[in-house]
């Protein structure tokens, strides 16, 4: 569908009228009509249409019209015409939590990401705002959200965070920060009401369940080759059998994230060593028997016995340990950050190498992990095969992304894959994140990729809102 950039202005001396330049009308093939539908976000009104002789891409709106469609400010924006409706926008809402009511950082550390996302759209000038469930007025279908903009009387030409009244948006990018918050009743109620009572398109909704993702990937011929052996809700016998086969296994919470709650168990000289993170410290415990280890971490508080039917262990999976390539004797894995582009095709935007901290179970930054240049690391291990290994990572990532997208509900525009490589060059998938963190883009070597990532999110939102050319 053809859309064009157009200057939108307020003209005070007109009533309930929209005025189009001849150029806009001709480009969008809008014939002379007495009335026309005008839409912004999910607001639609009927209004009178007039034309003026002008070669500029210009629209003039009456103040009362701006109020009726909840257009918070006028700027250069995209428009298109379909089914007797002139559409302004798009209006893109980012749903999150944790509003702090601070002038420069209204959403804490995440404010900078939201700002970059808004700035990434300066060429198309979509209307982008950030909001929380508490900011939604369900009765009037309005949102009191924040945008980072120059378009206020007090900004003096500088961009700032401004709170405005918005209609329900065309598209919602869901960025609830963590599983605990997402599970709260008020958040789930907000998401449910948007799905049931509006036509807003919500993408990347919900955190993935490891068990669900594992099952759909292991049953697919294109992706099962990338998965370590995994057992859901393991018994002591399951864990022992896997330790006898692989020496090292990982116990992971099925609904976990950020490496929280992961245990690495190694069987060595008939003893069981368990590494885990507690607070900001990496811990190592040794046990003579596996039974004792499992009792220590998973026993019922009532009888101090381990039972594989207890809820604590039932929320876990056990996974084969892989002998990953190393950097300075520390294991390395890779964060593959993926996006849908404007053509609805999966693209690998960045491959970040993460080296584990000393004594850490995972490579997460919070447990002492660090980011290092990917190509340099691979070159030290694979030499002349480095480019091929990189291409293999990208190919595997795209197969995984396509398979997941085809088997889940709702639009998906962004993924973070945690991938490992062994010394034979085989690729292993450890985890898939529907709301990947942005930590790799903080590294100086990924500054350009961080901008590209924000741009791809915007492109996908434009596509969903039918504003892509």
């Amino acid at each position: 569908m053809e859309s064009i950039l157009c200057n939108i202005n307020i003209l005070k001396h007109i009533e309930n009228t929209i005025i189009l330049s001849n150029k806009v009308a001709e480009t969008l093939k809008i014939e002379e009509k007495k009335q026309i539908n005008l839409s912004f976000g999910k607001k639609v009104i009927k209004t009178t249409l007039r034309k003026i002789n002008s070669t500029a891409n210009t629209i003039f709106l009456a103040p009362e019209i701006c109020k009726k469609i909840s257009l918070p400010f006028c700027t250069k924006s995209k428009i298109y015409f379909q089914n007797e409706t002139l559409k302004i926008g798009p209006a893109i809402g980012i749903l999150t939590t944790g509003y702090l009511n601070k002038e420069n950082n209204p959403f804490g550390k995440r404010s900078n990401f939201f700002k970059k996302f808004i700035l990434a759209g300066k060429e198309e000038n979509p209307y982008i705002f950030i909001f929380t469930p508490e900011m939604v007025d369900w009765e009037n279908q309005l949102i009191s959200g924040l945008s980072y903009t120059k378009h206020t009387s007090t900004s003096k030409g500088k961009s700032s965070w401004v709170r405005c009244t918005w209609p329900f948006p065309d598209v919602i990018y869901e960025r609830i920060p963590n599983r605990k918050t997402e599970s709260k009743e008020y958040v789930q109620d907000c998401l449910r009401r948007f799905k049931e009572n509006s036509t807003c398109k919500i993408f990347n909704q919900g955190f993935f369940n490891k068990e669900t993702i594992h099952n759909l990937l292991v049953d697919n011929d294109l992706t099962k080759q990338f998965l370590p052996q995994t057992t859901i809700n393991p018994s002591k016998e399951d864990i022992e059998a896997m330790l006898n086969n692989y020496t090292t296994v990982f116990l992971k919470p099925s609904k976990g994230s950020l490496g929280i709650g992961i245990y690495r168990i190694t069987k060595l000289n008939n003893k069981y060593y368990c590494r885990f993170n507690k607070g900001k410290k990496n811990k190592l415990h040794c046990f003579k028997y596996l039974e004792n280890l499992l009792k220590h971490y998973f026993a019922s508080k009532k009888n101090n016995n381990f039972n594989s039917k207890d809820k604590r262990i039932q929320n876990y999976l056990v996974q084969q340990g892989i002998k990953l390539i190393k950097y300075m004797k520390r294991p390395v894995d890779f964060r593959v950050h993926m996006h849908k582009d404007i053509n609805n095709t999966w693209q690998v935007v960045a491959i970040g190498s993460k080296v584990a901290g000393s004594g850490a179970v995972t490579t997460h930054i919070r447990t002492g992990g660090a980011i290092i240049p990917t190509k340099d690391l691979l070159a030290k291990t694979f030499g002349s095969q480095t480019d091929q290994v990189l291409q293999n990572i990208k190919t595997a990532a795209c197969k995984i992304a396509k398979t997941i997208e085809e088997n889940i509900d709702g639009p998906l525009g962004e993924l973070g894959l945690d991938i490992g490589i062994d010394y034979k060059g085989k690729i292993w998938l450890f985890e898939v994140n529907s709301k990947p963190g942005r930590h790799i883009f903080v590294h100086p070597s990924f500054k350009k990729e961080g901008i590209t990532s924000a741009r791809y999110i915007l492109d996908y939102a434009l596509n969903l809102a039918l504003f892509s050319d």
Side-chain angles (χ1 to χ4, degrees), residues 53-207:
N53 290 321
S54 173
T55 58
N57 282 348
T58 304
I59 294 178
F60 295 96
L61 302 177
E64 63 187 276
I65 286 181
C66 293
K67 185 175 182 179
K68 286 180 180 178
I69 62 172
S70 303
L71 187 71
F73 49 78
C74 290
T75 182
K76 181 181 285 188
S77 181
K78 279 193 168 187
I79 61 170
Y80 72 78
F81 184 70
Q82 186 183 46
N83 298 329
E84 306 301 311
T85 299
L86 185 67
K87 179 79 174 173
I88 298 174
I92 301 171
I94 302 179
L95 174 61
T96 190
T97 57
Y99 175 58
L100 301 177
N101 197 23
K102 292 183 179 180
E103 183 177 351
N104 295 323
N105 293 293
F107 298 96
K109 293 180 180 179
R110 290 174 295 136
S111 301
N112 193 45
F113 162 61
F114 296 146
K115 184 191 302 184
K116 287 181 179 179
F117 175 64
I118 292 171
L119 294 177
K122 59 185 178 182
E123 292 181 7
E124 281 84 4
N125 268 24
Y127 288 86
I128 304 174
F129 61 95
I130 325 298
F131 71 103
T132 67
E134 299 94 332
M135 298 176 182
V136 182
D137 176 355
W138 295 102
E139 182 177 352
N140 297 301
Q141 295 200 341
L142 296 173
I143 297 172
S144 178
L146 288 89
S147 184
Y148 189 75
T149 178
K150 292 181 181 179
H151 301 282
T152 71
S153 59
T154 60
S155 64
K156 298 180 181 179
K158 294 182 178 180
S159 293
S160 60
W161 287 104
V162 180
R163 193 160 180 174
C164 306
T165 299
W166 304 82
F168 280 11
D170 299 295
V171 174
I172 295 174
Y173 174 36
E174 202 255 83
R175 286 297 299 196
I176 304 299
N178 54 62
R179 291 177 187 271
K180 183 178 180 180
T181 302
E182 183 190 58
S183 67
K184 291 184 177 180
E185 185 176 348
Y186 78 98
V187 175
Q188 288 300 309
D189 181 64
C190 177
L191 290 167
R192 178 185 56 78
R193 294 178 76 170
F194 269 119
K195 286 190 292 184
E196 293 179 355
N197 304 317
S198 79
T199 57
C200 301
K201 296 178 181 178
I202 308 174
F203 71 97
N204 280 62
Q205 184 188 328
F207 286 88

Side-chain angles (χ1 to χ4, degrees), residues 66 222 390:
C66 293
L222 289 176
L390 278 170

Side-chain angles (χ1 to χ4, degrees), residues 284-299:
L284 173 63
H285 290 169
C286 178
F287 299 85
K288 187 174 182 179
Y289 302 106
L290 179 61
E291 178 81 18
N292 292 344
L293 184 154
L294 296 174
K295 279 184 180 180
H296 184 80
Y297 300 114
F298 297 100

Side-chain angles (χ1 to χ4, degrees), residues 225-292:
Q225 61 184 304
F226 307 120
L227 299 180
Q229 182 181 339
T230 302
T231 300
I232 310 297
N233 304 333
S235 65
K236 179 178 78 72
E237 290 72 24
D238 292 329
I239 300 169
E240 185 75 76
M242 201 176 286
L243 278 167
N244 289 335
N245 285 334
Y246 303 112
T247 305
T248 296
V249 301
F250 286 84
L251 278 172
K252 299 180 177 181
S254 297
K255 297 181 180 180
S257 59
L258 300 175
I260 297 171
I262 294 178
Y263 299 88
R264 184 177 74 194
I265 304 172
T266 301
K267 185 177 182 181
L268 184 64
N269 298 326
N270 291 319
K271 290 184 179 180
Y272 299 86
Y273 296 87
C274 183
R275 285 193 181 274
F276 61 99
N277 175 263
K278 187 174 183 180
K280 295 183 178 180
K281 294 183 178 181
N282 297 311
K283 302 281 189 176
L284 173 63
H285 290 169
C286 178
F287 299 85
K288 187 174 182 179
Y289 302 106
L290 179 61
E291 178 81 18
N292 292 344

